[in-house]
Amino acid sequence: MLKRKEFILGAAAGLTLAAAATAGGVINWPGAHADPQAVNRITPVPANGNSFSPPPGAPNSFANIFEQVAPAVVQIDVTVKVEQPQGGAFQIPGLPFQFVPPQGRGGQGEDDEPQTTQGAGSGFFISQDGFIVTNNHVVADATEIKVKMSDGRELPARLIGRDPGTDLAVIKVEGSDFKYVSFEETAQPRVGDWVIAVGNPFGLGGTATAGIVSAKARDIDPSGYNDYIQIDAAINRGNSGGPTFDIYGRVIGVNSAIYSPTGASVGIGFAIPAEVAKTVTSRLMQGQTIERGYVGVSIQNIPDGGVGALGLPAGTKGAYVGEVTPDGPAQKAGVQVGDVVIQVNGRDIDGSTELRRLVAATEAGQNVRFTILRDGRRQELNIRAAKRPPEDELESASGGENGPSVPGATSGATVEGMKVSPLSAAVRQRLGLSDDVQGVVVTETVPGSKAAQLGIPAGSIIQRANNQVVATPADLERAIAAARAAGRPGVLLMVRSQRGGAISVVLELSRE
């Protein structure tokens, strides 16, 4: 997975950050001198109040809307430092290959100037006095930011604040007479409503594309803080951070990512909803940092077949706890791996995304109450939330590289299509595992088996089976035998990859 500064997002296969500026809106921002702003505020008037229904005969053309809002949309050019490894090759943001300088320029010595490269995105004014919204991934690593306006002016900009969790940022240019637009919060777009995306695709400058709202509440965010609006208006690299407008020229979203096997638009784009963007950017404008609650658990939705494998009541919904951070708030409160969280503060949850957002909304120092299912029994645990660490720190916690083989593994057993071995000292050293990690290592999967179909790679560590700790191949065999005896169709395995992350999958049991 490429880093966000390279304008690629690996939340799902083919999901690409569009490297464009964020959508903004007409907002009475604190410190933005509300009274004089009325002069430059772009205030489109819908024909039917807050309705998204277009006027009779629309859309004959989007030209009037574009002429209204285009002065508020800007091109953002950034200069980014890049690390140059020994030998001279380095990565240019947005390109799938490395660049090698001409002969004689390779290799970076102590006296060499650091290498830089250029990136581009989009943004838009949200106040008359120069505040601009864009994506965090557009400006996160920038050493220099320049803004090019629709009238050709080019101005230096400075970073005001950014929030990696929602991929939003605010920058500012000096001045007091800028056209700006508004976030629309009161009316909600419907699937099928017309939208217009304006931005800077491939550095071409002010470009408009049109389409419809294709879907709402798309959960594609690895951090889980955005319910994206999906649109089919063409979005490409350079559109990131640009606005999505409705038929009346109101900002309903900030363009952030596309789903594409090629890196170019295939008609599936994603925008951060206006209500999220306004809340976050208004705080950034005031110089505040975005803080979220943290309890220290790795969670996932109950996997398909997990309810039956764990013997839970039919229809059980919630989040499965795959890992618990040592000495974290959740561990101190008694949360264990294998717990199924079904409520947060008395509110039923459907899955991991809802749990993550409810915890994030909790202030550090406040209590958050988990209702869990453990061994079929319902319990309540009170957790004192801490401040969530920066996203880059959490991402770096899972390192390592995948490898196809496991040297040093001792002979073991074949269990349900998997050849598994105990964790010997050699295997621990090879995989970088500490002594407190328990489990059995998968050395091979039998072709055609259920385990092979699940894609469990060699080098994976099976740590639990149906919430029972697995320390030896015999432990895994006993857990599977118990599941069969109970008439369960599968067994829930907690599998740790060589990258350090743990996921839970249901292994369908073969028929004997």
Side-chain angles (χ1 to χ4, degrees), residues 150-239:
S150 61
D151 60 9
R153 283 184 292 169
E154 189 170 304
L155 303 172
R158 59 188 174 91
L159 179 66
I160 298 298
R162 59 190 187 92
D163 177 35
T166 55
D167 195 23
L168 289 166
V170 173
I171 62 176
K172 191 178 188 304
V173 296
E174 295 304 317
S176 59
D177 195 31
F178 299 106
K179 299 289 185 180
Y180 67 103
V181 288
S182 298
F183 288 112
E184 175 54 47
E185 296 180 284
T186 57
Q188 292 296 318
R190 302 165 300 167
V191 174
D193 283 330
W194 286 103
V195 293
I196 308 166
V198 181
N200 174 40
F202 300 111
L204 293 173
T207 300
T209 56
I212 63 169
V213 174
S214 302
K216 295 178 65 178
R218 288 299 196 203
D219 181 15
I220 62 166
D221 190 346
S223 297
Y225 304 132
N226 289 321
D227 271 334
Y228 285 89
I229 301 170
Q230 181 182 329
I231 64 175
D232 69 353
I235 295 176
N236 288 286
R237 287 189 180 136
N239 276 114

Side-chain angles (χ1 to χ4, degrees), residues 4 17 22 134-137 162-169 221 223-228 254-256 271-273 276-277 279-281 284 290 292 391:
R4 283 187 168 181
L17 292 174
T22 318
T134 187
N135 281 146
N136 172 68
H137 74 263
R162 59 190 187 92
D163 177 35
T166 55
D167 195 23
L168 289 166
D221 190 346
S223 297
Y225 304 132
N226 289 321
D227 271 334
Y228 285 89
V254 179
N255 302 323
S256 185
I272 302 166
V276 173
T279 299
V280 171
T281 55
L284 293 176
I290 308 301
R292 298 182 173 88
E391 299 298 325

Side-chain angles (χ1 to χ4, degrees), residues 456-479:
I456 299 175
S460 299
I461 310 299
I462 299 176
Q463 296 184 291
R464 286 177 174 256
N466 278 357
N467 283 343
Q468 301 300 311
V469 174
V470 172
T472 66
D475 291 339
L476 180 59
E477 291 175 324
R478 280 192 291 270

Side-chain angles (χ1 to χ4, degrees), residues 432-463:
L433 301 175
S434 59
D435 292 338
D436 60 345
V437 173
Q438 291 185 302
V440 294
V441 60
V442 178
T443 59
E444 186 181 346
T445 54
V446 178
S449 66
K450 298 294 184 182
Q453 293 172 18
L454 277 176
I456 299 175
S460 299
I461 310 299
I462 299 176
Q463 296 184 291

